[in-house]
Each structure stands twice: as C-alpha cells, then as structure tokens.
Amino acid sequence: MISSRVDIAAQTLEEGGLVAFPTETVFGLGARADDEKAIKKIYELKGRPQNHPLISHCADVEKAFSVAKEVPSYAHALANKFWPGPMTLVFLSNDDGQICNAARGGHESVAVRVPEHKVAQELLSKCDFFVAAPSANKFGRVSPTTAQHVESEFGDELFVLDGEQSEKGIESTIISCLEDEPSILRAGTITQNDIDVALGNTAVVDPSLDIAAPGNLESHYAPSVPVVILDKDSADDSTDHDKDAFIGLNQPAGSYLLTKIPENIDDFAHSLYAFFREAENMKCEKIYVVAPENIGVGIAINDRIKKASHTFGESK
Ligand code: TXA
Ligand code: MG
C-alpha cells in the first residue's frame, strides 16, 4: 500500500520488514542493512542474484564514512560537494556489523549513499541503522520513479512510502574509492566533468569504456516493450508508427501513438523510465529512442537505453 506515514515506515524497517521509499534518483526497496534475514527478503522479492551487492543509505555524511576502513581525501571532497545527492561511494568495509555480508553481496567492499530527497532524509534520520536499498523493481526491469510504479511492480502488500517523483530519474553515479584515484563504476547525473571540477581535475576513468560494478549487466532496465535505438537520420523517416512510442530531443517526422520530447538532457533522464512504463501501459509495440549525444548526462542515458534495448537485441 502507498502511505505517507514516515513513522510507520521507520518502525517497519526497524522490525526487519521491507519498505520502498523515494529518493531523487529512483525509488529504493529498503531493509535494515545490519540484518541478514531482512536483506534476504529484498533479494527474494526482487529475484536478484545474491552476489549483486546493495547500496546502503543513511542521512548524513559522517555516518556514511563510519563503515569504511579508509576514506581517501578525495572522497571527503566528493562528499562535501555532492552529498546529500545522487552519488554512491564504494569503500573497503571495516566489517563492523553495520552493513552485513548479505547486503554487501559477499564482497569486501561496501557502497554507501546519502540521498537528498526530503522524504528519504526524513525516513533515514529516524533510523539508527543503515537502510540497504536496490531500486524497487523486479530484477532486470525498469527502475521506478513514482510510488505508483513500485506498487504496479510488487502489488499492494509492500509498504511504499509516498513522495514526489524522483527528480533525477536515473540511478546514482557510483564512484569507487578503493584506489589512489576515484573511478566511475556506473554513470549517473553527476558527470565526470562535475567530478573533475570538484576535485580540481584528478583523473577519472571514463565509465562509457569499462563498467566495473558487480551486477552491472549488459541487459538491464528493460521494459516489456522492445526498445529500438535510432540514429538521428532514421528518426527522419516519415513512416507512421500508430502503435509505437517515441522519445528523443527533436520532434520526429513520423507520427507515433505516444511521443515525448524532453526539454533538455536533464529532463530526458528525469522522464526516461516513466516514459518506458507509460509505453508499457499503453501496450505500444515498440519504443523508439533517439540517443542523445554521448557526453555529460548523455553518457548515463546512453548506458541505460543500450541496456534496455539489449534484451531484444534490436538497434537500428
Ligand atoms: O540511485 C541509486 O543508486 C538507487 C537508489 C535507491 O539509491 N539504487 C540502485 O541500486 O540503483 P541497485 O541495486 O539497482 O544498483 C546498485 C548497484 C549494484 O548493481 C552494483 O553495481 C553497485 O551498485 N554496487 C553495490 N555495492 C557495490 C560494491 N561494493 N562495489 C561496487 N559496486 C557496488
Ligand atoms: Mg537497479
């Protein structure tokens, strides 16, 4: 059920239950991170392989660092600049029990995030434990950006904390803090350039070349409607697509059942998953996407649409 009772949500988590909650990236499916049994419920409900580690969330930066064996100075700079916000940092775990082995997917490292969304902050500040939370979707499916998306994914029995639609719309930028220099493991709305500026140009590995986060698969984020990536020229064909959906920064020549022209690249990220779900609901036959330029936030969008189209092996 969808509820705005933050107190009940916090109590449910405390007692080892599952709660879905909003963040500014996507909605998360949370359980207390120090409780193996609670964490197992997440893996079961999602149908997620047990070696895919989860991100653990808390309300403040100091607490986030308390699970790390070592915090390099660049991680302090990143946290000062981007937390609370759509960034996840990966550290070697100090294994102090706050993030149990199951939440780490059996890995020695740990991923932590301090989200910015007002409701997430309210919830997490009521919890004296970390809340481990993957995106609140079945394994391999599109991440949810509204409470209704989560409910349509898991039904009425799950407690879904209500809150404003996720502003960013795609998952957090994941940065490894395991080496002398940071490296991006998953692209997000905090871009390589943002990181370079925050760190005074420390070299950062380009995520479009090598994606290293465990569980980051080629096929992912996929709607049930096949996604077809168009290049700019094929978007100019004037064939009618009465049963298809279209999303791209420029108006297509042909006519579609469902069309979304995001206002800019941030709006593209914000709208993408909600659009995929709308196309599913309208029973579109195909979703055509004109990929934005592969720079800045466009890198994260290209990553997600490539993975969404991979299942069907279609690209044009
Ligand atoms: O925006 C987000 O990050 C959302 C919200 C809810 O915080 N969460 C999210 O979780 O996207 P999920 O489970 O869908 O993706 C988490 C990914 C894993 O698949 C893995 O790639 C990476 O985070 N990850 C988690 N722990 C890691 C670790 N110790 N080392 C490297 N990557 C890790
Ligand atoms: Mg996910």
Side-chain angles (χ1 to χ4, degrees):
M1 106 264 351
I2 298 175
S3 161
S4 45
R5 292 287 300 272
V6 182
D7 54 337
I8 299 178
Q11 198 190 339
T12 305
L13 288 169
E14 175 148 20
E15 290 166 359
L18 298 185
V19 168
F21 62 97
T23 87
E24 69 278 16
T25 56
V26 299
F27 277 58
L29 178 64
R32 56 184 303 161
D34 57 358
D35 181 342
E36 302 260 347
K37 262 200 202 149
I39 296 299
K40 290 214 166 104
K41 292 182 192 165
I42 294 183
Y43 285 97
E44 271 164 29
L45 191 62
K46 269 193 72 116
R48 178 178 173 122
Q50 307 234 347
N51 61 348
H52 286 195
L54 308 178
I55 296 171
S56 292
H57 303 73
C58 65
D60 68 273
V61 175
E62 202 184 325
K63 180 164 171 150
F65 286 153
S66 75
V67 295
K69 202 164 192 175
E70 252 177 80
V71 180
S73 59
Y74 65 77
H76 285 280
L78 291 172
N80 284 340
K81 179 76 182 168
F82 300 118
W83 271 347
M87 174 182 76
T88 296
L89 296 182
V90 174
F91 299 104
L92 205 57
S93 164
N94 63 12
D95 214 2
D96 67 353
Q98 291 192 89
I99 316 289
C100 68
N101 195 49
R104 304 201 309 262
H107 295 263
E108 287 183 352
S109 56
V110 66
V112 283
R113 174 155 110 83
V114 181
E116 187 177 24
H117 194 291
K118 195 169 146 272
V119 176
Q121 273 289 326
E122 268 177 48
L123 174 67
L124 293 168
S125 52
K126 285 190 195 304
C127 298
D128 59 5
F129 42 83
F130 280 80
V131 178
S135 50
N137 51 275
K138 296 255 172 66
F139 181 63
R141 286 261 304 142
V142 181
S143 300
T145 55
T146 68
Q148 287 72 25
H149 293 166
V150 182
E151 196 175 58
S152 71
E153 195 85 7
F154 293 112
D156 191 43
E157 268 176 40
L158 178 68
F159 189 106
V160 184
L161 189 55
D162 203 3
E164 205 180 296
Q165 177 166 1
S166 303
E167 185 204 333
K168 305 297 178 191
I170 55 176
E171 302 79 358
S172 61
T173 304
I174 304 181
I175 304 171
S176 166
C177 301
L178 299 175
E179 310 288 340
D180 293 343
E181 286 177 354
S183 57
I184 298 180
L185 302 180
R186 181 177 69 187
T189 55
I190 292 175
T191 64
Q192 175 166 344
N193 187 51
D194 296 336
I195 294 168
D196 283 348
V197 169
L199 299 181
N201 279 328
T202 307
V204 175
V205 175
D206 181 347
S208 63
L209 303 177
D210 183 19
I211 293 164
N216 226 335
L217 306 175
E218 282 189 352
S219 160
H220 215 131
Y221 316 111
S224 57
V225 179
V227 172
V228 181
I229 301 175
L230 295 173
D231 56 41
K232 277 197 190 118
D233 299 335
S234 37
D236 284 337
D237 80 2
S238 46
T239 331
D240 281 340
H241 292 280
D242 325 359
K243 292 182 178 160
D244 301 327
F246 175 92
I247 183 167
L249 288 168
N250 295 303
Q251 191 78 41
S255 85
Y256 289 78
L257 180 61
L258 185 65
T259 306
K260 173 81 191 176
I261 316 294
E263 282 168 25
N264 51 44
I265 199 74
D266 294 326
D267 187 32
F268 203 140
H270 169 77
S271 318
L272 183 67
Y273 291 155
F275 182 76
F276 282 173
R277 284 180 185 268
E278 201 181 339
E280 285 180 339
N281 290 342
M282 291 185 67
K283 305 213 167 8
C284 292
E285 287 186 354
K286 283 194 175 140
I287 299 172
Y288 289 90
V289 185
V290 177
E293 210 183 333
N294 200 31
I295 51 166
V297 177
I299 292 178
I301 296 175
N302 273 280
D303 170 59
R304 303 312 193 273
I305 60 181
K306 243 184 242 158
K307 286 177 176 155
S309 69
H310 190 271
T311 321
F312 303 97
E314 293 208 40
S315 148
K316 186 171 136 183

